[in-house]
Amino acid sequence: MPTKNQNPDVDDITPRPASMVAALRSIGYRLETAVADLVDNSIAKHAKNIWVEFSWRGDASTITIRDDGIGMSEEELIEAMRLGSHDPLWDRGSLDLGRFGLGLKTASFSQCKVFSVLTRKHHHDPVWRTWDIDYVIREGKWILRRDINPAAAADAQQLANQSSGTCVVWQTLDRLVGKVSIDDEIAHKAFLESASRVGNHLGMVFGEYLFGKDSVAIHVGRTKVERWDPFLATYDTQIAEVERFEVKGHCVSVRPHVLPHHSRMTKKEFERAAGPAGWNAQQGFYIYRNRRMLVSGGWMNLGLTRDEHMKLARIRIDIDSGSDFLWQLDIRKSKASPPVSLREDLRRIARLTRSRASEVYRHRGQKIISQGGDVGKKHDLWSLERIHDKVRYRIDREHPLVKSLIEEGQAGRSVNALLVLIEETIPAPTIYIGYAEKPSEQALPFETTKEATMRRILQDLFLALRESGNTVEQAQATLARMTPFDSHPQLLAELDEFDRQHENQARE
Ligand SMILES: Nc1ncnc2c1ncn2[C@@H]1O[C@H](COP(=O)(O)OP(=O)(O)OP(=O)(O)O)[C@@H](O)[C@H]1O
Ligand SMILES: [Mg+2]
């Protein structure tokens, strides 16, 4: 029933707290995106240090997010605790990372049923307030508590040693921890693992704040959060020219990056370069607003798939804070959608970057395979054969060496039978899984072969070609078009001398 109202022309229907709370709790925050929303607030209020603490006490465990920013007065705190404390259409300062006036409340409610905010301004005593979901539901009103649980106050005690700052304490972590005892080892381990997940996420989305002149230090427990740079600036990443666009008076800049192949870094570096969500998920667009990463990978519904071969493609987009609405930024600030007028350009840039990325990947990873008729001048041992809708890899019977071996009667037929066996039994699924899951452990062709072994193989091939009637020059020219000898001219040059020695030995 609508409530009675002085104005007979309208009905005042205030939302019911119980259903509003349930809806607000289900916006879809993950723990790490929720913490990031609070870190946004701290950075916007000039914090230089942010401390995230995970305190394990079974079902009484807490997470605190404390900063040394400018803090709030009591009036400001009460206003900050209001759902929708700001009009989202207000112009925000260019450094303000907020938008909706909701983040503090929705992010906190998504993780816990009770949260307290303690804050102090310079030359003022700390003040605090508590939102308690069960209390709100019981009372049927949005009533903010003036008290605080003593354990939560103890978690925030460091604030007393600061001249200003704010501390948010999440209590009753019903989603992350639930009803568990303090001795529950498995729950304890999961709790600590979530702390490291949060650290990785913060290192990614606030990476640009973690270094340089106005840097901010973020600590998760005792660990200082390290920056994760999706573009591997310290490696030889290919960086294309920046393209700038204007959308309704707002500037957008787009800069494609193609990361180096994994063979250019150590296994550890390659694993770290993958990012918190892994190589495949982290390809695509990265949207930044005020140095804050909003979107971390993905192709933004432009009709492009995430593909193993595209994983080296990462494209940076910078937008200004006034263009949130044009990009349909969501409440959690982790999803955005490009303005219609930019979609075609972004698709074009994405396609180009993807094709460059797949070139890097293919060139370094699949040197010995050629596609169908695309043999060119090179002698490739493997070729791709398409029969109806099936594809398979074949050892090319026209390859000079193969040809010379299979032409010789029964011996030739045996070699051919062996080749068919090899072709039919290549452990393709195992190879595929290896490349997908542990690409840095897959050796490139001849990567681990010693030079002496390579020389011996080359000499054997050379002799086989000579025996089938090739001159020294012809044999050399043929071998110069085969991987890997095409990149070893010095070994090919030695073949003249080798041929002479071999002739002499044969004569003796
Ligand atoms: N750590 C903090 N230090 C000082 N003031 C804060 C802090 N956290 C929140 N506030 C104040 O509370 C207000 C409300 O925060 P809240 O996160 O709910 O909304 P917002 O940041 O304005 O917008 P958004 O919904 O996009 O996060 C902020 O605008 C800020 O004025
Ligand atoms: Mg906020």
Side-chain angles (χ1 to χ4, degrees):
M1 280 289 288
T3 38
K4 284 225 168 6
N5 193 289
Q6 256 90 333
N7 183 347
D9 296 332
V10 295
D11 294 314
D12 180 352
I13 47 166
T14 309
R16 282 202 190 89
S19 39
M20 276 303 285
V21 163
L24 285 175
R25 300 200 77 192
S26 317
I27 288 177
Y29 276 100
R30 286 174 292 129
L31 172 67
E32 49 271 39
T33 48
V35 174
D37 228 336
L38 266 55
V39 172
D40 274 336
N41 289 342
S42 300
I43 292 178
K45 296 295 168 183
H46 313 292
K48 287 283 145 223
N49 286 282
I50 296 156
W51 298 270
V52 183
E53 284 291 342
F54 282 64
S55 308
W56 175 251
R57 289 179 217 123
D59 52 14
S61 299
T62 57
I63 298 175
T64 58
I65 298 101
R66 178 168 57 91
D67 67 53
D68 58 359
I70 58 171
M72 289 174 268
S73 66
E74 190 158 21
E75 295 71 40
E76 286 169 335
L77 171 62
I78 295 169
E79 189 52 30
M81 293 296 256
R82 185 195 291 277
L83 280 125
S85 50
H86 277 113
D87 184 335
L89 295 172
W90 281 357
D91 237 2
R92 299 273 189 154
S94 69
L95 283 177
D96 196 344
L97 300 162
R99 167 57 56 191
F100 302 99
L102 279 172
L104 169 65
K105 287 73 65 173
T106 46
S108 302
F109 283 150
S110 75
Q111 303 302 314
C112 65
K113 293 179 90 175
V114 181
F115 79 93
S116 304
V117 180
L118 298 92
T119 183
R120 75 181 300 182
K121 266 186 126 74
H122 197 42
H123 296 311
H124 286 74
D125 286 335
V127 289
W128 54 84
R129 286 294 185 275
T130 299
W131 270 125
D132 177 338
I133 287 184
D134 287 336
Y135 186 73
V136 168
I137 293 174
R138 238 184 356 258
E139 297 292 315
K141 286 185 187 155
W142 292 104
I143 300 177
L144 190 59
R145 298 184 72 124
R146 290 191 180 147
D147 58 350
I148 183 171
N149 176 331
D155 281 342
Q157 66 182 356
Q158 303 264 37
L159 199 62
N161 307 324
Q162 296 175 204
S163 66
S164 69
T166 299
C167 184
V168 180
V169 188
W170 289 347
Q171 304 140 67
T172 322
L173 297 159
D174 61 330
R175 298 207 160 148
L176 184 64
V177 179
K179 289 241 158 285
V180 291
S181 101
I182 194 164
D183 310 316
D184 189 327
E185 288 295 327
I186 295 173
H188 186 187
K189 191 162 168 253
F191 188 66
L192 295 181
E193 278 169 5
S194 54
S196 98
R197 226 173 46 236
V198 165
N200 290 339
H201 184 76
L202 298 179
M204 174 174 79
V205 297
F206 297 105
E208 306 259 305
Y209 287 93
L210 301 180
F211 67 99
K213 204 163 82 249
D214 302 316
S215 66
V216 175
I218 305 180
H219 313 260
V220 175
R222 293 210 189 124
T223 312
K224 189 166 172 193
V225 170
E226 266 182 59
R227 173 190 186 208
W228 179 74
D229 170 21
F231 309 111
L232 305 186
T234 49
Y235 295 82
D236 54 351
T237 295
Q238 298 174 36
I239 307 174
E241 280 295 302
V242 66
E243 285 198 44
R244 289 182 218 283
F245 304 92
E246 206 197 279
V247 188
K248 298 198 173 147
H250 294 283
C251 180
V252 178
S253 63
V254 184
R255 193 186 275 274
H257 296 71
V258 175
L259 307 189
H261 188 260
H262 62 74
S263 54
R264 307 275 189 90
M265 51 189 106
T266 66
K267 187 168 171 245
K268 216 166 156 211
E269 288 169 330
F270 180 73
E271 276 167 12
R272 183 160 160 73
W279 272 109
N280 249 2
Q282 302 261 188
Q283 62 184 272
F285 291 103
Y286 286 74
I287 303 185
Y288 286 79
R289 185 190 60 166
N290 300 338
R291 290 148 73 198
R292 188 326 187 171
M293 186 193 294
L294 299 171
V295 168
S296 49
W299 296 103
M300 295 199 294
N301 295 327
L302 291 174
L304 307 163
T305 52
R306 288 185 206 219
D307 182 331
E308 173 71 12
H309 288 160
M310 309 300 173
K311 68 184 185 187
L312 301 177
R314 292 179 180 171
I315 304 173
R316 177 175 178 134
I317 300 182
D318 282 278
I319 64 172
D320 60 42
S321 66
S323 50
D324 293 353
F325 286 103
L326 297 171
W327 289 80
Q328 297 173 40
L329 183 64
D330 77 337
I331 287 186
R332 295 163 301 154
K333 305 190 191 78
S334 54
K335 264 207 170 134
S337 209
V340 178
S341 61
L342 267 190
R343 288 180 70 84
E344 243 350 281
D345 279 307
L346 292 179
R347 195 176 288 125
R348 167 182 58 78
I349 295 171
R351 286 213 173 107
L352 196 65
T353 315
R354 284 162 60 95
S355 95
R356 285 187 185 143
S358 97
E359 272 307 298
V360 171
Y361 194 83
R362 268 187 233 287
H363 181 64
R364 298 287 299 159
Q366 304 188 355
K367 251 186 165 174
I368 55 170
I369 295 173
S370 80
Q371 298 277 328
D374 177 30
V375 177
K377 284 193 180 134
K378 237 172 129 222
H379 295 303
D380 286 313
L381 186 59
W382 288 95
S383 64
L384 194 75
E385 186 178 274
R386 232 176 256 281
I387 300 174
H388 304 303
D389 54 350
K390 301 269 187 212
V391 164
R392 53 186 182 179
Y393 292 93
R394 287 258 172 244
I395 293 175
D396 188 359
R397 302 299 193 269
E398 291 302 311
H399 185 282
L401 185 70
V402 177
K403 205 169 172 183
S404 70
L405 288 174
I406 58 176
E407 269 170 358
E408 291 169 19
Q410 181 53 45
R413 281 199 294 282
S414 301
V415 171
N416 194 41
L418 176 66
L419 296 183
V420 172
L421 265 182
I422 293 171
E423 289 165 343
E424 296 297 334
T425 59
I426 309 171
T430 316
I431 295 173
Y432 177 78
I433 292 168
Y435 266 101
E437 291 182 355
K438 292 180 179 158
S440 58
E441 285 181 16
Q442 314 303 313
L444 295 175
F446 295 96
E447 188 182 42
T448 53
T449 312
K450 293 204 173 76
E451 188 169 278
T453 313
M454 189 109 81
R455 182 178 286 113
R456 219 171 37 247
I457 295 170
L458 177 67
Q459 290 170 350
D460 286 345
L461 294 176
F462 176 76
L463 290 179
L465 288 170
R466 290 282 282 134
E467 276 162 26
S468 60
N470 288 281
T471 65
V472 174
E473 290 73 26
Q474 283 167 338
Q476 271 172 324
T478 302
L479 291 165
R481 281 183 272 145
M482 283 182 202
T483 306
F485 311 115
D486 53 350
S487 45
H488 291 277
Q490 82 290 357
L491 289 184
L492 289 165
E494 288 171 14
L495 289 173
D496 285 318
E497 180 55 28
F498 171 74
D499 190 69
R500 266 191 295 280
Q501 284 175 5
H502 187 74
E503 293 277 290
N504 289 341
Q505 274 168 10
R507 260 186 243 122
E508 280 164 13

